Amino acid sequence: MTSTPETAVRLTQYAHGGGCACKIPPGELEDVLGPLAAGTRTTASDFALLVGLATGDDAAVVTLPAPPGGPAQAVVSTADFFTPVVDDPYDWGRIAAANALSDVYAMGGRPVVAVNLLAWPRDVLPFELAREVLRGGLDIAAEAGCHVGGGHSVDDPEPKYGMAVTGIADPDRLLRNDAGRPGLPLSLTKPLGLGVLNNRHKATGERFEQAVATMTALNRDAAAAALDAGAVCATDVTGFGLLGHLHKLARASGVTAVLDTAAVPYLDGAREAVRDGYVSGGTRRNLEWVAPFTDFGDTDADTRLLLADAQTSGGLLVAGEVPGAPVVGELVARGPHSVVLR
């Protein structure tokens, strides 16, 4: 843990929230989307919608008409953007891009092309900083082998950045959040604690290299390993926290997820950040939302907050064993709760 060097601008001070912690609370979002998902109409098209609003998955997926004698293919479409999660503009761009690309990986797809989404307070922050944000996004997209073909920008009181991403996938080898079955183990490919460390950074200026390294790491290899292991069910862990995304996966799959709390990995400094009070409002709202669906057992208060911690560019939660990733629980037959902590 080191202190941030003196800079002219601390980007996190220009945003009311930070990263995926600034998402609309999951309960409020479901109140809005629920009636829309129930009333979704079938659209006349040559492209079949495989994944849409119904299960709240990570991205939309449509199938393309198969060419004569050729393999079927699917298009994966997603968008993600947020306010600054770190002060360094280049790192923020890298994190936001990795987070947007993650939704494609979480579906078992490969990102092909992205467009930038940029909101910038043009009379407040210099455009040189925006250039650094975009440079970070370009570098991560290049690492992923994904083209960046332009984008859209608006003048906005708060800086925001992200990407709309289009990918491709094998429609018969998707990773979906509704394909979990009893008896499958649960693997988690990145440690938790990003939210509380980012919140501490925003409040104090302390820089956490372990958090930046985790957030800028692509989920490409984890997705490939999951597919190679035969997994068909996964989601990425972002703004709704591990408990929120686990609840959504278990609910969509009609199962109960049993979580071994002692097996969940955390970043260095995460527990200390919770102890010292650096917990975002988004994390507390996550915990409030999942409480009616969760059997917490004797799990202590700090651990509950960490399990609900709003992650930014977190790892994949996979129903199956992923080489190199810890097994943190299992899926069992549906019980009174969608999530049970042990």
Side-chain angles (χ1 to χ4, degrees), residues 14-17 83-84 92 119-121 125 154-160:
Y14 290 83
H16 74 284
T83 54
W92 174 33
W120 202 256
L125 292 174
V154 296
D155 188 350
D156 191 277
E158 282 189 321
K160 303 176 183 72

Side-chain angles (χ1 to χ4, degrees), residues 259-279:
L259 189 66
D260 178 1
T261 57
V264 176
Y266 299 101
L267 288 165
D268 290 344
R271 283 200 174 273
E272 291 79 4
V274 173
R275 178 200 64 198
D276 294 341
Y278 295 104
V279 179

